[in-house]
Amino acid sequence: MTEKHRYLREKYTKTVESYLRACIELYQWESIPALTSDIIIKIANLFYQVSSSEQMILEKEWRSYKFPIKQTFVRFKADQLTPFERNGLRQLLAENEDKFKETWERLVSVSYAIYAAENDRCSEENNANKEQFIQNKRWSIILGEPGSGKTIFIRWLVYHLAQTLLNEQYSTNYGPLRMPILICIDEFAESMKEESSLTLFDYIGKHKWMGKPITDDSSISLDDLSCTLQDYIQQGQALIIFDGLDEIFASDQRSKIINS
């Protein structure tokens, strides 16, 4: 543990421990919304031979059950494009947003567009080690289809880091120990609607997850939590994670959030 981290832990002991416990409780469980009663009962009968009374209980109460996030099985593929190629493609798309035929014709005529398409094919060689890219990169963006495991992965990461910090362990596979802060962008956007002058920095500590306060410890005020997490950020001891930018559909609002 770095000297800065040790100093911050001693300075905010009560608030830090309360926050870390809250992170562990919030992010270690996951419900599976795609399940149905029929699937649940089939699995229960196939693997556990439940009685008829147990089956009735399952049918009524399974939606309230949560599953522990013990491990993640997400395969990451590194983006092989150079900044020049990426910016060129972005500019082409921005210039021809409403002209799909012209856009495709121009893309085909640009050499690095063909290279980008070829380079986007999945291969084992291009797999990215999640520990390495978190440890070595100051900024990372995770892109993927809905349901591909992005949110599950970052929830598990916050849970893992919070548990490591709470146990005062000195090392992790994800590089230097940092205080995890997970921001749901949709909830930040709602707060910005209510308070147009709200900055992201001021929002941290008062943020929520799925409508729930980050900590419900009555002995810790939101101002205390904000002050603590903001100090960790200013000391370079935080890992800030944003989830759900693709859920902001209005382009002007999305741009405002990105700028913030």
Side-chain angles (χ1 to χ4, degrees), residues 76-80 119-128:
F76 294 98
K77 178 177 176 289
D79 181 3
Q80 303 294 317
N119 207 39
D120 194 47
R121 296 171 185 161
C122 274
S123 68
E124 293 296 331
E125 291 78 13
N126 288 338
N127 284 353

Side-chain angles (χ1 to χ4, degrees), residues 244-255:
L245 183 62
D246 56 345
E247 296 171 13
I248 307 299
F249 300 109
S251 59
D252 57 337
Q253 188 181 22
R254 190 164 59 246
S255 297

Side-chain angles (χ1 to χ4, degrees), residues 155-200:
R155 287 181 65 170
W156 177 85
L157 178 61
V158 173
Y159 162 72
H160 168 74
L161 293 177
Q163 194 170 50
T164 303
L165 286 167
L166 188 62
N167 294 336
E168 298 190 54
Q169 297 175 14
Y170 295 96
S171 62
T172 173
N173 293 335
Y174 294 92
L177 286 170
R178 289 168 287 175
M179 182 65 67
I181 303 171
L182 177 51
I183 302 295
C184 180
I185 290 181
D186 186 41
E187 293 184 328
F188 175 49
E190 288 299 316
S191 296
M192 288 180 72
K193 287 180 182 177
E194 298 172 3
E195 188 180 342
S196 59
S197 62
L198 181 68
T199 67
L200 176 60

Side-chain angles (χ1 to χ4, degrees), residues 214-226:
I214 292 301
T215 177
D216 56 2
D217 188 340
S218 58
S219 65
I220 304 295
S221 71
L222 292 180
D223 288 337
D224 287 341
L225 182 57
S226 290

